[in-house]
Amino acid sequence: MPTAAGIAKGTLYVVGTPIGNLRDISLRALEILSAVDCIAAEHVQHAQKLLAGHMLSASHTRILPLHQHNEGSAAYKIIEWLEQGKAIALISDAGTPGVSDPGALLVQQVRARNLPVVPVPGANAALCALSASGLIAPHFFFYGFLPTKSGERQRKLAGLKTLYACILIFYEAPHRILECVTDMLAVFGTGREITFARELTKLFETIHTCPLGEALDWLQADENRQRGEFVLLLAPLEAPQQEEISPQAMQTLATLQRELPLKQAVQLAAEITGESRKKLYARALLEQKTKKLI
Ligand code: SAM
């Protein structure tokens, strides 16, 4: 049952907060943060700063730290409080909790107990970058942070090569920006366009698009360009023209693939349907790769 401030008892509110500019927070988020019994926050000091920045007193609100190292035990406590009828807000240091940030585990456990979870939308760096990138595609794929080691990073990037017609979105730390872009260049080549969305909503906000082949020069032309927080977006690639294959041949291949190894399934499907073995094999490999990714 909602209280006067619109807060329901025993409810977890997942609240989006700013990614830089303190004013990028909704009226509803402020109302909820000021009315809940407890705020679960990645860092207590950060939460206090956010509240103080909006003239909300933190004195009557308990702030409970919830970060990647204590999420399990904090979730246990929060569930106990929710079951006692307390209203709790979850925030992270920036943007939307659970998106490359702690919070997803808590939400999963609260929902598993059939306790109410209410999203209160706010900023998100990936969507903020996408909205101002000027990139057009039917789909986008949000990857988040790539692995920190180059070999592993290149393998993950190579796995995204066949994600056609899709904008790829990554988060990256400033001290890895040069090596990350070097790996993107090695995997995708010089022609694919990259957009750097740096320090979004802050004083030195920069949004720059160039071919990957020019990206390292751009970053190195001014050391400031390597500082701050980054979202990287790779422009979509056009899918290579697929050779026509009859629906009957594809259906036969799919049925055989459920029972046989790929090579045998292709061989048999080609014999049954008269379709080219080479075409069937190429299509099956492409579909296998795409399935692994999605
Ligand atoms: N939960 C956040 C969200 O909803 O976007 C993301 C948190 S993640 C730990 C932090 C990463 O998000 C940074 O390393 C950076 O890649 C990206 N990021 C956050 N704020 C940003 C900003 N103002 N400008 C550009 N990227 C930002």
Side-chain angles (χ1 to χ4, degrees):
M1 174 70 77
T3 63
I7 295 293
K9 288 184 168 189
T11 298
L12 177 69
Y13 291 91
V14 184
V15 181
T17 60
I19 56 167
N21 188 321
L22 201 61
R23 286 177 297 163
D24 289 333
I25 188 161
S26 73
L27 295 174
R28 182 167 167 240
L30 291 176
E31 185 181 75
I32 285 165
L33 290 178
S34 66
V36 287
D37 299 298
C38 169
I39 298 175
E42 201 175 350
H43 289 102
V44 172
Q45 257 191 334
H46 194 94
Q48 284 168 335
K49 248 168 103 180
L50 177 73
L51 296 177
H54 289 284
M55 315 291 177
L56 300 177
S57 159
S59 58
H60 66 280
T61 312
R62 190 192 301 223
I63 301 179
L64 176 81
L66 181 139
H67 43 75
Q68 57 171 342
H69 304 296
N70 79 340
E71 196 168 347
S73 56
Y76 187 78
K77 204 175 292 174
I78 289 169
I79 287 170
E80 215 174 81
W81 288 343
L82 289 169
E83 283 172 341
Q84 290 165 10
K86 292 194 164 59
I88 299 180
L90 166 69
I91 62 172
S92 63
D93 280 354
T96 302
V99 180
S100 299
D101 256 347
L105 181 68
L106 169 67
V107 171
Q108 184 199 52
Q109 296 191 1
V110 170
R111 286 179 55 82
R113 298 285 185 113
N114 281 326
L115 293 163
V117 177
V118 174
V120 184
N124 166 256
L127 292 180
C128 179
L130 180 66
S131 71
S133 68
L135 294 170
I136 300 176
H139 316 288
F140 68 87
F141 182 89
F142 171 67
Y143 192 94
F145 288 101
L146 283 158
T148 54
K149 293 208 171 100
S150 176
E152 185 62 5
R153 186 164 52 226
Q154 284 204 17
R155 268 192 292 285
K156 295 288 179 196
L157 287 169
L160 303 175
K161 264 177 120 171
T162 52
L163 222 44
Y164 298 113
C166 194
I167 298 162
L168 305 181
I169 308 181
F170 306 91
Y171 286 162
E172 193 49 279
H175 59 280
R176 271 193 290 272
I177 194 74
L178 285 177
E179 44 179 291
C180 177
V181 172
T182 304
D183 285 342
M184 287 179 168
L185 190 55
V187 172
F188 297 115
T190 52
R192 192 165 187 176
E193 291 214 314
I194 183 168
T195 298
F196 295 95
R198 179 183 155 259
E199 292 291 87
L200 293 167
T201 78
K202 303 188 210 175
L203 186 61
F204 295 110
E205 178 178 274
T206 312
I207 300 173
H208 176 78
T209 300
C210 63
L212 267 171
E214 293 169 19
L216 288 173
D217 281 350
W218 182 79
L219 282 169
Q220 286 168 322
D222 177 350
E223 279 201 357
N224 288 321
R225 292 179 183 167
Q226 298 163 41
R227 298 206 170 105
E229 300 196 273
F230 285 90
V231 180
L232 304 176
L233 304 97
L234 291 175
L237 286 186
E238 245 180 64
Q241 287 286 326
Q242 284 193 355
E243 294 196 81
E244 279 289 310
I245 296 179
S246 73
Q248 186 224 349
M250 287 308 294
Q251 181 63 49
T252 308
L253 178 61
T255 309
L256 290 169
Q257 258 186 284
R258 284 198 283 274
E259 306 294 334
L260 296 171
L262 181 62
K263 269 194 176 160
Q264 265 176 278
V266 167
Q267 178 71 39
L268 213 53
E271 281 170 23
I272 295 169
T273 63
E275 192 58 86
S276 143
R277 197 176 58 79
K278 208 170 141 202
K279 276 203 275 180
L280 283 172
Y281 193 62
R283 177 69 66 87
L285 281 184
L286 184 67
E287 288 193 354
Q288 262 187 0
K289 266 191 193 169
T290 313
K291 254 188 220 148
K292 253 189 229 161
L293 290 171
I294 297 174

